[in-house]
Amino acid sequence: MNINEMKPESAMFITVEGGEGVGKSTNMAFIGEWLERHNIPYIATREPGGTPLAEEIRALLVKPRAEPVAENTELLLMFAARAQHIAEVIMPALRRGQWVLCDRFTDATYAYQGGGRGIDRAKIAQLENLVQGALHPDMTLLLDIPVKQGLARARERGEPDRFEREELFFFNAVRDCYLQRASEEPHRYRIVDASLPLVDVQSSLAMHLKQFLESSA
């Protein structure tokens, strides 16, 4: 899959990443409003999920259960949902010339299944190549927050899902992996301090979006 041959240059793929309690939902809405104000056609979606089948897989993944979920099972389900999402939502939108704004993508798999679960990065990369080919985000906005602060926010949302029930070391490993990936790909990642007041977080997001829009014009 050669993404450069399959979408107009004006169509951009933007992902929003981060651990628990970083405010992705609130800030996804803000980014959507920003794109609308700038007359940019876009769709908003999420992972795992984004299609009826992928949402069913998401429900399997996040539901707390007595049976242990094998690491490879979790990893393969993530990429199964992603394959459906790419085929049915992401690529069709990009081909139409729309921007795609996605709540998490493959960086989350490296962070959660790679960093958190300890799955070999090379194994994830094999599945990434199989499912995505050359499809990668044009920009990734990483909402970063100290783990304990993020978990305190997340607990206010209600009953934790299967991932939110993990131990502190798991989420520290997730955050460390995100920050490592950002350091390895500074041209794609934009780190936003999500511990700041919301107005400051969104001011930072708007600055990064403006710079990205100007650089891609």
Side-chain angles (χ1 to χ4, degrees), residues 22-66:
V22 296
K24 284 189 291 84
S25 297
T26 299
N27 288 301
M28 281 280 293
F30 171 81
I31 295 167
E33 292 168 0
W34 189 94
L35 294 173
E36 289 174 0
R37 288 198 303 272
H38 289 79
N39 299 312
I40 296 172
Y42 79 99
I43 64 160
T45 188
R46 70 172 182 174
E47 288 216 346
T51 81
L53 174 56
E55 289 290 336
E56 289 183 36
I57 297 173
R58 178 190 182 94
L60 288 173
L61 282 162
V62 303
K63 179 182 178 181
R65 60 185 72 246

Side-chain angles (χ1 to χ4, degrees), residues 17-24 104 111-112 142-145 147 150-151 154 157 171 174-175 178:
E17 295 282 356
E20 307 306 314
V22 296
K24 284 189 291 84
R104 290 191 174 139
Y112 278 77
L142 175 59
L143 298 169
D144 180 58
I145 193 172
V147 170
L151 290 176
R157 299 196 300 246
F171 296 109
V174 167
R175 185 190 186 201
Y178 268 132

